[in-house]
Amino acid sequence: MIVFSSAIMTVSCSRQPHYPPAPQQGSDIVIDEASLETDVPRFFTYRHENRNVNFFVLKLATGIASYLDACVTCYPKHLGYECKEGYVHCRACDMRYSIYRLEKGIGGCYPIRINGRMENGKYLISLDELRKHA
C-alpha cells in the first residue's frame, strides 16, 4: 500500500498545473482590473494547439504585470509556481521570489515576463504573445 501511495503522489506532483481558462475577447486575453486582488497572483491557462500556456497576472500598487507560470531553468519539469505570503515559489527547484521584485528578475528561476497593456480598466494580453510561448 505504501508503494502504491508513493507512486500516486509522484505522478500527481509531476503534473503540470491547470488553471481556469483565460477570458478571451477578439485577439486578446481580457482581465478586468477590478477582478484582481492586490498582491495576489491570479493564474490562468490558455489552450493553443493542444498545448497549455499557464500564466499569472499580478496587481501591485505600482501597476499590473503578467508572467508565464514557468522559468527558463525549470520549465521542462512543467510544475510552475505557487504563491504564499507575498512570494512566488518554484515547485521544481524550491526557489522563491518576492512578488515585489519580479519585474526586476532576469534569468535563473524568475518567472518569464509577458507583455500586457491597460485599456479602459482592463488588462489585455495579445493571444499572439501567448502563442509564441506555447
Side-chain angles (χ1 to χ4, degrees):
M1 183 63 141
I2 293 173
V3 172
F4 179 73
S5 296
S6 294
I8 294 295
M9 288 177 68
T10 301
V11 169
S12 65
C13 290
S14 65
R15 295 192 54 191
Q16 182 178 21
H18 188 75
Y19 304 106
Q24 281 182 244
Q25 200 171 61
S27 61
D28 293 309
I29 299 297
V30 180
I31 300 164
D32 190 349
E33 180 181 12
S35 72
L36 298 172
E37 187 177 338
T38 303
D39 299 343
V40 179
R42 187 157 170 214
F43 290 83
F44 297 96
T45 296
Y46 170 67
R47 188 122 173 106
H48 177 66
E49 295 180 355
N50 294 322
R51 297 190 66 140
N52 289 335
V53 179
N54 292 337
F55 66 98
F56 62 92
V57 177
L58 178 60
K59 179 180 178 182
L60 299 172
T62 56
I64 299 175
S66 47
Y67 302 87
L68 291 177
D69 187 30
C71 71
V72 174
T73 305
C74 298
Y75 172 74
K77 296 179 182 173
H78 301 287
L79 297 177
Y81 297 90
E82 63 183 344
C83 184
K84 289 184 182 175
E85 301 171 1
Y87 289 86
V88 290
H89 176 257
C90 177
R91 295 176 189 177
C93 73
D94 212 26
M95 292 295 295
R96 61 184 219 149
Y97 302 98
S98 169
I99 60 172
Y100 308 104
R101 295 195 171 265
L102 292 181
E103 67 185 31
K104 298 183 188 329
I106 298 172
C109 197
Y110 274 94
I112 300 165
R113 179 90 184 247
I114 53 178
N115 295 320
R117 66 193 187 282
M118 284 297 298
E119 286 184 13
N120 302 319
K122 311 273 187 212
Y123 186 75
L124 292 86
I125 302 169
S126 164
L127 294 179
D128 288 338
E129 175 75 9
L130 292 175
R131 288 176 184 146
K132 76 180 183 185
H133 295 289

